[in-house]
Amino acid sequence: MSSSKTGSSAKLSCRNLWKLYGPNAASHLSDASRLPQNGGDAAELAQNIRDQGGIVAAADVNFDLMEGEIFVIMGLSGSGKSTVVRCLSRLVEPTSGEILLDGQDLLKASPKELIDFRRYKMGMVFQSFGLLPHLNVFENVAFPLKLQGMELQERSARAERVIELVGLEGRESSYPSQLSGGQQQRVGIARSLAVEPEVWFLDEPFSALDPLIRRQMQDEFLRLQQDLHKSIVFITHDFLESLRVADRMAIMKDGAVVQIGRPVDLILKPADDYVREFTNDVPWELILTAGDIASDNAPPDGIKEVPADTKVADLLPYLAEHHGGVAVRADDGSKNHMTGQDLISALASGVAKSAT
Amino acid sequence: MQSKSRQDIIVWLIVLALTAVAVVLNDDLGVLFKYPDHLVLPLIEPMNQGMRWFVLAFGWFFKAIGWVFDWPILFAKTILHAVPWFATLILATFVAYRAGGTGLAVFCAASILYMVSFGFWPQSMNSFALVVISIPLAVAVGFALGTWGYLSARAYRVIMPTLDLMQTIPAFAYLIPILLLFGFGTTVGLVASVLFAFPPMVRNTIVGLRSVTPTVIDSGLMSGATPSQLFWNVRVPTARRQLLLGVNQSTMASLSMVIIASIIGGTNDIGWEVLSTIRKALFGESILAGIVIALMAMILDRVTNGFAMRGTPTDERTKQSGRRAWIICGVAFVAAILVAQLIPLLSAWPKAWVLNPAPAMNAALEWTFLEFREGLEKIKQIAFFFVMLPIKLGLKQAVSPYTWGFAMTPMVIAIYAVLVLIPVALLAFKRRIMQAIWLALLGLVLFGGLTGTAWVALCAIVIVLGWQAGGRGLAIWIAAGLGFILASGIWNPATVSVYLCGVAVLVCFAIGGAIGIWASENDKVSTVVRPIIDTLQTMPLFVILIPFVMVFKIGEFTALLSICAFAIVPAIRYTEHGLRNLPHDVVEAATAIGCTRNQLLFQVKLPLAVPSIMLGLNQTIMFAISMLVITALVGTDDLGQQIYIGLGDGDFGVGMIAGVGMAIIAMIADRITQNISRNMQAKLGLRQENLA
Ligand SMILES: Nc1ncnc2c1ncn2[C@@H]1O[C@H](COP(=O)(O)OP(=O)(O)OP(=O)(O)O)[C@@H](O)[C@H]1O
Ligand SMILES: [Mg+2]
């Protein structure tokens, strides 16, 4: 979870990204004055385009991916998640917008530069693996390195290293058809890591796997990230999965981003009912920490002190008995007061239906 | 819907009336009965002149190409002859082993021993040299065009119809312009074989490249592939199996055409061996040589197919052992060459040891014929008098005291009319007007005969059929095609072609359909039938002629049987396929309702399988037409014969017009049956699928 240390500078920025499908898609955006960055209204424009028979797969998407951060994009099927991540890697050409990688606009890159970006800076993992059926595990993993023209020896060493990293040593000479889904995705992950990318895109990497394997893969993914500190865009339609891995997340609906924030922000302050639908079934007591709930007030002296990352679930029995509450100690040593009442108010804002 | 069917009925009634008038008035119709000679367009002379001019102007160019091609052929021949047969046997057996295991290896070794010990080795290698050179050329051309068609939608729209056209033009017709342009020699065989063999590679390349999944492409892109790396390292290897299937089909087409091309003679190859012995009625010899072609076809098919079907090696160890095996094979090959220097037997089989059972076979055949002559003659006569003649000349001429035992008196005609009219009336009474009309038409055409009915009536029937199957566009197209056949003066041979083909298709459809149904209900039958039809399909067409011409001598009956033997393949295959691949839920539901096996078959399965069976009919017709042209060798008087004559005389105009006529007939039959099949499929809500 939000354990890794995230930097404060943006590794990858997505600015006013639009992707339209259908006939003469580009013409819909030709009237610059209607674009949101020039004062237009994105939702209105998107609706307008749909009314004219266009398909809006991404509508004015904006976000920054911080150095070393896991950024999750979530949304229902067809909400445009894949479209966005494929625009980031320019597997699909955005209709308009900017993608800045280390401050350089990817959309202005020449084909050759783009190939270099993909060879040295980006890695991508696909939901349906996308392994080459005629190559064995080792060759699949070494494939991007081979395309770069790397020497056989260095290539082998690197491939071996990432194969070990994903726990597939001993299966190097198996072919994709001989592997289970989980093993195939390990190959996919190893292949994308072989080039030692700086940004890492994962499009529903674990959705094709059954729940037990999925959990195990998530754990390993987090373990990997602890060592690697990549900047990651992770797509999923499973809210629990995003809770486990996300530092921050964006919720998408009909091509547009509805809300961006830390998972707790979404639970405690959902922007609308669509977001609330996702967070409703979440076991909040296991997610929320004392730090998330505590008020801004200084605590009275002499009450029990707890660290900020204590799970609320562990505090419930104590809070039930002690109406004076607890003192929550943050990392920097400052302390805030938290009572049962604070907890109830926090939950109320997240759970309450549109009545609030 | 209602008014549409009323319109149909009216149109068909008009056609019926027209046909009736035509049959009754007969040659009183004058120019409407027989297309007048003076209206035949003088196409032949201008075409020949044009061709002569073209040859004069550009002949040097083709001669130069021919000269260039001569070298690799000479090279291949020299190598194949220089290498001792024993070394070739070792290499070929090993390749067969890699492709299909021990069984295929043994088969391959035995086949080579057969070729050697029966004295066909030099001829076999002469043919094989052409195949060896033509395959890479055909595959390269096919792959390049396929890739282009895959990359560019515009190219695709040009390439596909061209391929369709190329594949309906009869094999012999290909040879004429090639012969004129390149002159006699082995190059003709090579060029014809490349032209004939590359279309399947184009189709398979397009299908293969298209079937690569988008994620695989995306993952290639994200690995940083340049466009050319994406193509060669991602797309092509992923499409490998389909591409190799293309190689397989190209190989078979190439061999087939190399054999056919030997008809121009002077090549001393195995096809020529068969042809010349057939012409001299030395059937023992031609069987022995025909077996060589059959063996070559089977080996080439199994080997190329084996490599296509073999998955990628499953682990490093088999890959390595494979590499080692190739090295061992190479060593064994060299060793065999050396050993053969010491033991001459292994490089040149002594003349004295050549097995020649041909004279004995001929004697045995002779004896058998004398013994069974009456029975065979009887069979031939019955088929001829009671099936073939009526369809060709019509009952009005086929029925005579000599053939049927009585003459076609007005009384007999009246009886025939009543016999036809009773079921027609019954159908009409049951309000199945359409069937009634069709039955009446059938009765009329059978009376007049295909060659004895006025052209207006026959054209009207075909055009209206096309109109009903494919709308106005198809009807106009058909009318134009028929117009060409009439105006170029090939109407008569064309009707003979249609008659031969039609009878063969009827027979194939009846027998093949029955076998197909049986095979679909009975796994044992299926396992017996499958390899037989697979083998028949890979057979070069000449070979199929041999047994029939041997038993029944030359003539239309022999032609008919040969056509049937080949064209029955798709009739069986598609019927079985259609019946075995029905939607599961429907069959299960019918079983659950309590259908008996027969009810299930006749009331559920067959009606649902009709579209697939119709596609089978389509393929049966196409197979029949391609064989029909070859049967010109055994003396028919149809379009195929004209092409053959054109080829023999180097008469471009005659041969090409007949060839185009044949292609037109093929395309008309193809479009009509395909459209009918598609309409039925749509009606049943089934998905269109293509077996070919
Ligand atoms: N090539 C295309 N042509 C037309 N429309 C497309 C194309 N690709 C995607 N779309 C449309 O864009 C929208 C977003 O698709 P996208 O694949 O990004 O959704 P997603 O959120 O990834 O869904 P899923 O969870 O099912 O993968 C969908 O409405 C889809 O129909
Ligand atoms: Mg998606």
Side-chain angles (χ1 to χ4, degrees):
Chain A
M1 242 189 302
S2 22
S3 51
S4 53
K5 290 167 201 68
T6 48
S8 51
S9 62
K11 179 77 185 165
L12 181 78
S13 303
C14 178
R15 298 263 173 275
N16 306 108
L17 177 77
W18 289 82
K19 177 64 193 174
L20 310 181
Y21 286 108
N24 39 9
S27 66
H28 292 300
L29 298 178
S30 54
D31 181 4
S33 70
R34 298 185 62 196
L35 291 175
Q37 58 267 41
N38 302 333
D41 180 51
E44 196 178 295
L45 180 54
Q47 192 50 48
N48 226 310
I49 295 170
R50 288 201 178 95
D51 292 343
Q52 291 172 38
I55 299 170
V56 184
D60 195 42
V61 173
N62 287 286
F63 66 86
D64 288 325
L65 172 66
M66 297 299 167
E67 192 92 47
E69 170 188 48
I70 303 181
F71 186 81
V72 169
I73 302 181
M74 244 212 72
L76 297 179
S77 187
S79 57
K81 311 180 293 292
S82 296
T83 303
V84 168
V85 79
R86 288 155 63 78
C87 284
L88 297 182
S89 55
R90 255 183 91 182
L91 281 175
V92 300
E93 207 60 42
T95 313
S96 93
E98 277 181 343
I99 312 274
L100 303 171
L101 178 60
D102 291 328
Q104 191 182 348
D105 191 350
L106 217 58
L107 303 187
K108 298 212 173 77
S110 69
K112 202 175 156 299
E113 288 169 330
L114 183 62
I115 286 174
D116 279 344
F117 273 124
R118 288 174 178 162
R119 281 187 176 177
Y120 304 106
K121 294 215 162 166
M122 299 176 175
M124 185 153 176
V125 179
F126 300 87
Q127 175 176 0
S128 44
F129 318 139
L131 301 182
L132 297 170
H134 60 289
L135 302 181
N136 64 24
V137 168
F138 177 83
E139 291 162 337
N140 258 296
V141 172
F143 185 68
L145 305 176
K146 190 176 164 198
L147 294 188
Q148 294 176 8
M150 189 182 281
E151 291 289 329
L152 180 65
Q153 217 163 13
E154 193 188 348
R155 202 190 324 157
S156 305
R158 266 229 224 163
E160 277 309 329
R161 204 159 61 232
V162 279
I163 287 175
E164 205 172 310
L165 208 55
V166 299
L168 274 180
E169 57 272 41
R171 300 305 303 264
E172 286 88 347
S173 53
S174 304
Y175 282 81
S177 58
Q178 299 170 309
L179 299 177
S180 71
Q183 287 169 327
Q184 290 189 43
Q185 195 55 298
R186 283 166 201 267
V187 180
I189 290 175
R191 177 178 61 185
S192 66
L193 287 178
V195 299
E196 299 178 354
E198 293 165 16
V199 283
W200 199 18
F201 303 121
L202 300 102
D203 187 356
E204 307 204 23
F206 309 136
S207 297
L209 309 177
D210 50 56
L212 267 174
I213 305 287
R214 194 184 307 172
R215 242 198 112 90
Q216 189 189 340
M217 296 287 287
Q218 288 162 359
D219 289 339
E220 286 182 40
F221 166 73
L222 290 171
R223 179 179 57 74
L224 273 178
Q225 170 63 356
Q226 234 155 35
D227 299 339
L228 300 175
H229 303 298
K230 306 278 179 210
S231 310
I232 296 175
V233 178
F234 189 111
I235 308 258
T236 178
H237 59 244
D238 175 358
F239 194 72
L240 289 179
E241 180 166 84
S242 55
L243 285 180
R244 298 199 70 204
V245 302
D247 291 320
R248 287 188 310 140
M249 55 194 290
I251 304 246
M252 287 191 68
K253 181 192 182 189
D254 296 338
V257 171
V258 184
Q259 187 173 7
I260 298 185
R262 297 177 307 147
V264 278
D265 299 336
L266 302 190
I267 296 175
L268 295 179
K269 302 185 194 69
D272 62 8
D273 286 349
Y274 179 76
V275 179
R276 199 169 280 128
E277 279 300 317
F278 282 113
T279 59
N280 250 350
D281 302 332
V282 172
W284 49 266
E285 69 278 11
L286 300 179
I287 310 280
L288 298 182
T289 61
D292 297 330
I293 304 293
S295 65
D296 299 335
N297 310 328
D301 289 337
I303 56 172
K304 182 180 160 100
E305 229 174 72
V306 295
D309 59 359
T310 313
K311 291 277 182 321
V312 168
D314 300 334
L315 288 178
L316 286 179
Y318 185 86
L319 289 178
E321 310 242 311
H322 301 80
H323 296 283
V326 292
V328 179
R329 187 182 64 249
D331 282 350
D332 58 8
S334 65
K335 291 176 194 159
N336 286 324
H337 190 203
M338 167 189 172
T339 63
Q341 190 57 46
D342 290 323
L343 175 59
I344 292 171
S345 325
L347 289 178
S349 64
V351 177
K353 296 286 165 197
S354 35
T356 51
Chain B
M1 200 67 215
Q2 198 61 39
S3 72
K4 168 116 176 53
S5 73
R6 177 153 326 136
Q7 189 189 2
D8 282 359
I9 289 174
I10 292 170
V11 172
W12 276 109
L13 275 176
I14 295 172
V15 172
L16 181 62
L18 178 69
T19 313
V21 171
V23 168
V24 171
L25 288 184
N26 216 2
D27 25 5
D28 290 345
L29 275 173
V31 290
L32 291 183
F33 177 75
K34 183 181 175 306
Y35 189 82
D37 285 340
H38 63 266
L39 283 184
V40 170
L41 299 176
L43 291 173
I44 296 176
E45 215 17 62
M47 282 175 80
N48 279 337
Q49 266 168 12
M51 192 65 193
R52 266 196 295 276
W53 174 83
F54 190 78
V55 171
L56 270 182
F58 297 103
W60 58 270
F61 176 69
F62 293 94
K63 290 264 158 51
I65 294 182
W67 184 80
V68 171
F69 277 153
D70 269 343
W71 290 104
I73 297 174
L74 190 66
F75 180 71
K77 274 188 186 167
T78 314
I79 297 265
L80 285 171
H81 285 299
V83 173
W85 64 264
F86 183 63
T88 310
L89 181 143
I90 300 247
L91 187 62
T93 306
F94 177 75
V95 172
Y97 174 75
R98 299 291 300 174
T102 323
L104 189 57
V106 171
F107 180 70
C108 178
S111 304
I112 291 183
L113 279 177
Y114 173 90
M115 294 176 202
V116 171
S117 58
F118 282 77
F120 291 117
W121 187 247
Q123 294 94 323
S124 310
M125 286 306 102
N126 278 342
S127 293
F128 190 58
L130 274 187
V131 176
V132 162
I133 301 294
S134 96
I135 291 173
L137 286 173
V139 167
V141 172
F143 181 77
L145 279 178
T147 306
W148 190 34
Y150 164 76
L151 292 175
S152 145
R154 193 170 319 151
Y156 179 83
R157 279 196 299 275
V158 176
I159 290 174
M160 286 325 253
T162 315
L163 290 190
D164 285 344
L165 181 70
M166 286 185 76
Q167 287 183 314
T168 43
I169 290 184
F172 278 172
Y174 268 78
L175 286 173
I176 303 174
I178 300 175
L179 186 61
L180 293 175
L181 289 173
F182 290 90
F184 280 91
T186 37
T187 340
V188 176
L190 179 69
V191 174
S193 134
V194 171
L195 281 181
F196 198 62
F198 84 80
M201 188 67 203
V202 179
R203 291 181 198 276
N204 279 287
T205 304
I206 293 180
V207 171
L209 292 178
R210 283 196 173 170
S211 65
V212 178
T213 56
T215 327
V216 168
I217 300 302
D218 284 349
S219 72
L221 280 173
M222 284 311 291
S223 300
T226 62
S228 87
Q229 283 175 327
L230 190 66
F231 185 76
W232 291 108
N233 296 354
V234 178
R235 261 188 222 284
V236 170
T238 313
R240 173 174 175 273
R241 172 172 293 206
Q242 194 74 40
L243 294 175
L244 286 179
L245 277 180
V247 173
N248 168 264
Q249 289 170 16
S250 281
T251 306
M252 300 323 289
S254 160
L255 175 66
S256 183
M257 195 63 184
V258 163
I259 301 293
I260 288 175
S262 62
I263 197 168
I264 60 169
T267 42
N268 186 32
D269 58 13
I270 195 72
W272 177 247
E273 193 70 26
V274 173
L275 258 177
S276 58
T277 48
I278 286 186
R279 283 183 183 152
K280 285 181 249 165
L282 296 170
F283 296 122
E285 283 86 345
S286 63
I287 289 188
L288 292 177
I291 290 176
V292 173
I293 299 179
L295 293 175
M296 266 167 93
M298 281 192 264
I299 293 173
L300 282 175
D301 179 48
R302 302 289 143 80
V303 167
T304 45
N305 198 43
F307 279 120
M309 284 308 156
R310 217 174 53 152
T312 38
T314 43
D315 60 68
E316 220 47 41
R317 198 153 350 111
T318 49
K319 223 184 199 174
Q320 251 165 33
S321 75
R323 230 168 280 144
R324 199 168 323 125
W326 279 109
I327 294 172
I328 294 175
C329 165
V331 173
F333 179 69
V334 174
I337 294 180
L338 296 178
V339 170
Q341 306 306 316
L342 301 177
I343 312 174
L345 163 68
L346 294 183
S347 62
W349 191 259
K351 277 234 160 45
W353 288 15
V354 169
L355 300 174
N356 189 5
M361 286 166 75
N362 286 337
L365 277 172
E366 201 70 20
W367 178 83
T368 323
F369 284 136
L370 286 178
E371 203 70 0
F372 296 102
R373 182 148 154 217
E374 281 187 5
L376 292 175
E377 280 298 313
K378 199 94 220 146
I379 295 175
K380 194 165 160 179
Q381 242 176 31
I382 289 175
F384 206 62
F385 289 166
F386 296 99
V387 181
M388 296 170 70
L389 272 186
I391 296 179
K392 186 178 184 183
L393 302 175
L395 288 170
K396 67 179 183 201
Q397 286 178 61
V399 177
S400 74
Y402 169 67
T403 53
W404 287 47
F406 52 85
M408 204 65 179
T409 55
M411 185 64 183
V412 177
I413 296 178
I415 293 175
Y416 176 73
V418 171
L419 281 180
V420 173
L421 283 177
I422 289 176
V424 169
L426 265 174
L427 282 173
F429 182 69
K430 283 193 189 164
R431 306 215 133 264
R432 299 163 95 170
I433 311 289
M434 215 49 150
Q435 275 108 320
I437 297 175
W438 280 336
L439 187 62
L441 258 181
L442 195 68
L444 281 171
V445 173
L446 191 59
F447 185 79
L450 274 176
T451 59
T453 301
W455 63 266
V456 247
L458 291 181
C459 285
I461 294 175
V462 179
I463 292 172
V464 172
L465 198 60
W467 169 73
Q468 219 182 4
R472 176 129 47 102
L474 185 59
I476 292 174
W477 194 92
I478 290 177
L482 293 174
F484 174 84
I485 290 180
L486 278 167
S488 58
I490 52 171
W491 178 261
N492 279 341
T495 51
V496 177
S497 288
V498 171
Y499 132 76
L500 272 176
C501 228
V503 177
V505 169
L506 284 182
V507 172
C508 288
F509 209 55
I511 300 178
I515 296 177
I517 292 175
W518 192 22
S520 76
E521 295 283 299
N522 185 329
D523 287 344
K524 267 196 212 114
V525 175
S526 180
T527 46
V528 174
V529 168
R530 280 264 172 95
I532 297 179
I533 56 176
D534 284 347
T535 313
L536 267 178
Q537 191 170 2
T538 54
M539 248 348 89
L541 302 178
F542 271 3
V543 182
I544 295 173
L545 277 180
I546 303 174
F548 298 108
V549 72
M550 204 171 73
V551 178
F552 293 105
K553 304 285 156 35
I554 60 169
E556 275 179 11
F557 186 60
T558 304
L560 184 69
L561 289 182
S562 323
I563 299 172
C564 287
F566 186 55
I568 202 166
V569 171
I572 299 176
R573 200 192 289 286
Y574 279 78
T575 310
E576 185 187 351
H577 178 85
L579 287 171
R580 278 186 184 265
N581 291 285
L582 294 171
H584 264 294
D585 44 350
V586 177
V587 176
E588 267 168 18
T591 316
I593 290 168
C595 279
T596 66
R597 197 171 163 155
N598 275 340
Q599 285 173 328
L600 188 65
L601 177 62
F602 287 103
Q603 296 183 22
V604 180
K605 286 184 174 180
L606 272 178
L608 281 175
V610 163
S612 169
I613 295 176
M614 282 301 297
L615 271 186
L617 174 66
N618 171 284
Q619 285 299 299
T620 305
I621 297 174
M622 296 302 127
F623 272 48
I625 290 178
S626 60
M627 187 69 198
L628 176 63
V629 181
I630 306 293
T631 60
L633 290 175
V634 296
T636 52
D637 49 2
D638 71 329
L639 283 178
Q641 191 65 27
Q642 302 242 334
I643 304 174
Y644 188 47
I645 291 171
L647 182 60
D649 299 348
D651 192 330
F652 177 70
V654 167
M656 270 335 264
I657 287 178
V660 171
M662 204 69 151
I664 289 175
I665 293 175
M667 282 191 275
I668 290 177
D670 179 57
R671 295 299 127 81
I672 291 182
T673 45
Q674 271 202 21
N675 272 301
I676 294 179
S677 167
R678 206 171 301 142
N679 295 346
M680 285 177 164
Q681 211 128 6
K683 220 195 261 169
L684 291 175
L686 296 174
R687 212 166 52 85
Q688 175 100 16
E689 65 174 323
N690 218 332
L691 201 67

